[in-house]
Amino acid sequence: MAVAIAENKTTTYDENFIKSNFYLRESEEDNESSNWQYSLNYLNNFNTSGHKLNLDFQLEDNYRDNFTFITEEEQFPVYIEKLGEKAYDKRPSKTIFISGRLCAAF
């Protein structure tokens, strides 16, 4: 599990280059992920003359769980705290790969 905190400061100026606004945006992110990969390789030699059957099978199992909380406030010319924003992302995924090869010697 990893926690990351980011801070973004934005200053705006009017047409006379006078500071008009200052915003502070902070985001705190907490995520967890796991990745598993399974592989199976099968090889069958039919005879000594080089006839072979080769099969490959792979399975990937990935999981990502991510939670983000964002706060934003205007600090200049007056202090205004805006409502916090929450984002939740949960993504499981699976990938299957199958390949086969038949080799015959002549």
Side-chain angles (χ1 to χ4, degrees):
M1 185 179 300
V3 177
I5 298 175
E7 187 175 271
N8 184 3
K9 298 175 181 178
T10 306
T11 304
T12 57
Y13 298 90
D14 65 12
E15 63 276 355
N16 296 318
F17 301 105
I18 298 173
K19 183 177 177 180
S20 61
N21 294 85
F22 178 75
Y23 298 95
L24 175 63
R25 181 180 173 100
E26 294 178 320
S27 62
E28 181 178 341
E29 186 174 302
D30 185 7
N31 62 47
E32 179 180 342
S33 63
S34 68
N35 301 309
W36 291 87
Q37 184 179 52
Y38 309 94
S39 295
L40 175 66
N41 300 315
Y42 174 76
L43 177 63
N44 188 354
N45 292 314
F46 289 107
N47 55 31
T48 58
S49 63
H51 289 72
K52 296 179 182 181
L53 174 65
N54 185 2
L55 296 173
D56 295 320
F57 175 77
Q58 288 183 352
L59 173 66
E60 287 187 19
D61 193 3
N62 301 312
Y63 174 77
R64 180 179 168 189
D65 193 357
N66 188 22
F67 176 76
T68 305
F69 183 69
I70 300 170
T71 58
E72 185 175 292
E73 54 192 49
E74 183 175 346
Q75 296 185 334
F76 181 84
V78 294
Y79 179 81
I80 300 172
E81 185 173 352
K82 300 180 179 178
L83 289 177
E85 195 178 315
K86 297 177 186 177
Y88 185 66
D89 182 20
K90 189 173 189 177
R91 271 187 242 176
S93 67
K94 291 188 186 304
T95 305
I96 298 174
F97 171 74
I98 300 172
S99 76
R101 185 173 42 238
L102 178 61
C103 299
F106 294 100

